[in-house]
Amino acid sequence: MSYVTSTYSIVNTDYYIEASGTFDINLPTAVGITGSSFQVKNTGTGVITIQATASQLIDNLPSFTLAFYDTLNIESNGSNWLVANPQTKRFIRVYNS
């Protein structure tokens, strides 16, 4: 497990990355690591932007943004990144009178 608070580049030995703040997390190249997966969770109030390497894509997008308490499970298909089961927290605020 890695806990990060500033720009971070994921390494192949990572699995779970807990992030807090507003910054980028860079994925390694998807080439040569087919089936490798990572989980990134935003535990802060900032915005975490997951960036792919070079011209690689994340579910056909160049980046993926995680808001407050969002979680991303991502897996290499050998050439790009696929999002598996994205989780977004939705909060409902209840006001008492």
Side-chain angles (χ1 to χ4, degrees):
M1 181 176 127
S2 297
Y3 178 75
V4 297
T5 57
S6 62
T7 300
Y8 181 71
S9 293
I10 295 175
V11 295
N12 292 342
T13 55
D14 283 330
Y15 173 72
Y16 181 84
I17 299 96
E18 181 180 335
S20 180
T22 297
F23 55 90
D24 292 348
I25 292 181
N26 303 303
L27 291 166
T29 180
V31 176
I33 60 170
T34 302
S36 291
S37 63
F38 304 103
Q39 184 176 56
V40 182
K41 182 168 186 72
N42 181 355
T43 58
T45 58
V47 176
I48 307 299
T49 303
I50 311 300
Q51 299 281 355
T53 301
S55 62
Q56 295 175 8
L57 299 173
I58 304 167
D59 265 7
N60 213 31
L61 299 169
S63 64
F64 194 95
T65 303
L66 298 177
F68 177 62
Y69 272 87
D70 286 354
T71 302
L72 174 69
N73 295 303
I74 193 162
E75 183 174 327
S76 167
N77 69 1
S79 59
N80 287 295
W81 293 97
L82 303 174
V83 174
N85 196 22
Q87 299 171 22
T88 302
K89 285 280 191 193
R90 299 284 184 228
F91 293 96
I92 299 172
R93 194 169 294 242
V94 177
Y95 295 94
N96 295 325
S97 50

